[in-house]
Each structure stands twice: as structure tokens, then as C-alpha cells.
Amino acid sequence: MFLSDHHDETRNTATAAHVPLGAQQAQLTLPSQEASVPASRHFAEDLLSRWGIGEDERDSAALIVDELASNAVQHGHALMTLLLVLDAGELLITLTDSGAVVPHEHGHADLAPDEHGRGTGIVDFLALWTEVHDNEEGREVRVGMRITTDAAS
């Protein structure tokens, strides 16, 4: 597991290339496994609390992280990297899956038919904007949220 939490100009990963200078940022890389979904969510909740983000915005961000991580586990590659960036009143949530292609079972026997696919709708509703970038190495999903708390200014 790779974990970083810093407030500087470091740019040593492809994902971090999107980070504005001086922004608060943290990154977590985990295997794309079910246990990584709650770990990613708790990481985001704890970090955003330390950054002083209000409970409502923190809960919305944690739900977005949960949905993105769940999709990466269901459909992604061997690793997933979560990057959180707080800068000038906006929270950027980026989840990238990478590494070896992992075979996935596409059955959703435990979900009612109307439950499958609702996560992207939830993310779109909570987000200010979303972007998805696919390449042979994996998928990067970027989500922006407006943060109105004093900590973001």
C-alpha cells in the first residue's frame, strides 16, 4: 500500500500530474479487492475531517469515493489509486485503476435489476463535474466537488 499526505509541489506519479501547486493532497494505492472499498472510504472520511471539511460535504465525497472504488473493484485492473486534492474551494477526487487486467465475473445475483448501475447516477448528482479517461493501462475517473467550508478558502 502506498500512502501519502502532503502540501507541496511533489509530482511523482501520473495521477499527481493534475495537482495544482500548493494544493492539499493525499494518495492511497490499494489492490482492487472488495476490502479496499471500505478502506478507501474511511481514508477519505478521515482525511477530509483532518482538512476541516464539513460533515455533509465529507459524506458526499465519501459516497463518491465508495462508488468509484466499487466500480474499480468490479470492472478494473489489479490496483486502484485514490487521489484527493483540495484547492481553492474545490475537491478533486481521482480514482485510477492500473496494473494487470483482472478477470471479473459480470453476474450481479445479489443486486436487484434496478440497483445495478445506480452508482454513476449518484456520482453525477453529487459532483460539480466528472471526467472519464480510458487507455490500455486502465481507467481514470476524475470528479470535482465545490467545497463551501472555511477550510477550503
Side-chain angles (χ1 to χ4, degrees):
M1 172 173 70
F2 172 76
L3 168 67
S4 70
D5 179 9
H6 46 84
H7 187 111
D8 64 18
E9 300 175 15
T10 303
R11 315 255 189 197
N12 56 4
T13 67
T15 307
H18 303 292
V19 177
L21 294 176
Q24 293 186 60
Q25 62 178 312
Q27 182 172 305
L28 174 70
T29 299
L30 295 169
S32 289
Q33 301 171 351
E34 285 295 325
S36 297
V37 175
S40 297
R41 182 182 60 247
H42 294 305
F43 171 78
E45 289 170 335
D46 292 346
L47 179 71
L48 296 176
S49 178
R50 281 196 327 233
W51 285 352
I53 304 303
E55 185 177 0
D56 288 344
E57 291 169 328
R58 192 170 60 237
D59 289 347
S60 294
L63 182 55
I64 290 171
V65 167
D66 192 77
E67 294 298 336
L68 297 181
S70 294
N71 283 344
V73 167
Q74 267 189 332
H75 307 291
H77 292 198
L79 296 173
M80 64 179 175
T81 299
L82 173 64
L83 174 66
L84 300 172
V85 178
L86 181 62
D87 184 52
E90 188 170 342
L91 177 65
L92 171 65
I93 302 168
T94 304
L95 197 126
T96 306
D97 67 66
S98 61
V101 175
V102 177
H104 299 282
E105 294 186 27
H106 293 287
H108 300 281
D110 57 338
L111 294 177
D114 65 337
E115 293 286 318
H116 179 62
R118 286 176 41 182
T120 55
I122 292 169
V123 170
D124 287 341
F125 178 77
L126 294 172
L128 184 61
W129 55 267
T130 61
E131 296 177 355
V132 178
H133 303 279
D134 289 311
N135 61 47
E136 61 274 351
E137 297 163 5
R139 171 176 278 193
E140 178 182 81
V141 181
R142 301 176 73 213
V143 176
M145 287 182 63
R146 177 71 46 209
I147 299 297
T148 58
T149 61
D150 292 337
S153 47

